[in-house]
Amino acid sequence: MVVDALSGREVIFAAGRAKRPGSSGALISPAELGEADTCPFCEGRESETPPELFALGGSPERAPDSPGWQVRVVPNLYPAFERQQVVIHSPAHARSLGELSDGQLALIVEAWAKIAEEAWSEGFDHLFVFVNEGDAAGASLPHSHSQTVWLEREPPQIVAEVSRLRREGCELCALLADLPPDLLLAKRKLDAGAVHLAVSPTGRAPYELLIAPSEHLGDAFGETEQLAAALALAADGIRRLYAVEGPTPLNLWLHNFQSDGHWHLELVPRLTHFSGSELGAGIYVNTLEPEEAAARLRG
Ligand SMILES: [Zn+2]
Ligand SMILES: [Zn+2]
Ligand SMILES: [Zn+2]
């Protein structure tokens, strides 16, 4: 049994199953005929979403809710939270972050930062950002998008991590410093430090990835260059997953800390199902050792 340094959750690696995680049939099914012809998130069908909050990448003359945008933000049509927005990642029909260019990913980050600024100005304490891809991961529409949720206090998983990720004695700084080189998949050097893409040494599911800046920084939405590099590395990780397993359902989210903490992205592929021990005991059984996962993703 191993303990995840960031969250404290317990993980048991039970390798030795011959079948690959993706062989259970959980992959994202191919696009249905005409999927893009009826997709409400594609450019040209702006009237099929609630009126946009803002869009990026268009010309200054563009009218709201008309074509000519690169990233478009609309309120969630079926919100579960008081304030919840959908960030549509591209004008053309793309089904995964892995299909998008670095420039497009940087615009998405710019949209998140703009939403965060508004949330702070209205007195909210936390902006939770996440991406679901595939039915098995809870995605409602196949067109690549993220959701942003405004919260009046930090959610439980952030609360669970914050005491471990303060500057003094930060567990993520320690994890990155001691990371076995085998688990590091890619690294992007920036003017200030670097951002890492690694297989989590304590992932709760096969191929779980951790993306984090090497430096202990402040609010992620104030460091869009680093966050854009992190999102580009997440897309790199997704492309590697697709090469090994095929179109993999997944959840990706940002753990950001308003006060003192070490922000990071967590990417959890959903090739296997969580069962009673995960949901009931909080003990995760992962059937793929991180070293084996990393070897396949590097290949
Ligand atoms: Zn579409
Ligand atoms: Zn740190
Ligand atoms: Zn985290």
Side-chain angles (χ1 to χ4, degrees):
M1 202 263 292
V2 290
V3 176
D4 179 60
L6 277 59
S7 64
R9 77 174 163 263
E10 297 180 1
V11 179
I12 295 168
F13 284 100
R17 299 194 182 188
K19 283 165 80 178
R20 287 198 159 189
S23 61
S24 61
L27 294 177
I28 298 175
S29 32
E32 284 168 27
L33 202 65
E35 177 180 286
D37 301 329
T38 54
C39 171
F41 286 175
C42 278
E43 184 176 33
R45 264 175 237 111
E46 289 79 9
S47 64
E48 294 179 26
T49 65
E52 74 189 36
L53 300 167
F54 66 90
L56 298 176
S59 76
E61 298 87 55
R62 174 186 171 269
D65 301 312
S66 66
W69 48 274
Q70 288 301 314
V71 169
R72 188 163 172 263
V73 179
V74 300
N76 191 308
L77 193 53
Y78 306 104
F81 299 88
E82 189 188 335
R83 302 286 288 276
Q84 188 173 0
Q85 300 81 25
V86 173
V87 178
I88 303 170
H89 288 170
S90 66
H93 195 68
R95 295 180 114 215
S96 172
L97 282 173
E99 297 172 41
L100 304 179
S101 68
D102 284 7
Q104 192 68 25
L105 296 168
L107 269 186
I108 294 164
V109 166
E110 203 183 303
W112 293 347
K114 193 168 150 63
I115 294 167
E117 213 170 277
E118 287 169 29
W120 309 157
S121 76
E122 292 195 34
F124 285 79
D125 269 351
H126 191 83
L127 184 74
F128 186 63
V129 177
F130 63 99
V131 175
N132 303 328
E133 293 190 358
D135 289 347
S140 47
L141 276 169
H143 191 126
S144 181
H145 64 282
S146 47
Q147 301 190 56
T148 52
V149 172
W150 300 19
L151 298 171
E152 274 161 2
R153 57 182 194 280
E154 293 186 318
Q157 288 221 23
I158 293 288
V159 173
E161 292 189 5
V162 70
S163 64
R164 299 162 188 270
L165 300 181
R166 293 196 208 287
R167 191 170 289 274
E168 285 300 313
C170 173
E171 294 281 0
L172 181 48
C173 283
L175 185 155
L176 292 170
D178 300 337
L179 188 74
D182 284 3
L183 297 188
L184 182 68
L185 297 175
K187 188 175 175 175
R188 290 215 178 185
K189 286 209 166 76
L190 301 169
D191 289 343
V195 185
H196 295 82
L197 167 66
V199 172
S200 168
T202 49
R204 72 210 94 177
Y207 305 107
E208 180 167 338
L209 302 176
L210 177 64
I211 302 120
S214 53
E215 307 292 312
H216 192 108
L217 303 164
D219 171 15
F221 300 116
E223 290 147 359
T224 49
E225 190 195 359
Q226 283 88 349
L227 188 53
L231 192 61
L233 283 172
D236 176 356
I238 291 170
R239 289 189 290 271
R240 291 168 189 262
L241 263 170
Y242 274 47
V244 175
E245 293 287 351
T248 302
L250 58 92
N251 301 111
L252 169 75
W253 57 81
L254 169 68
H255 275 165
N256 188 38
F257 303 86
Q258 276 296 93
S259 44
D260 183 19
H262 192 150
W263 65 261
H264 54 278
L265 299 176
E266 297 180 19
L267 193 159
V268 180
R270 302 298 301 275
L271 294 164
T272 53
H273 296 292
F274 292 133
S275 67
S277 65
E278 284 90 9
L279 299 177
I283 301 171
Y284 290 79
V285 179
N286 185 338
T287 55
L288 186 65
E289 298 275 358
E291 295 77 15
E292 172 62 18
R296 291 182 191 175
L297 294 174
R298 267 199 315 273

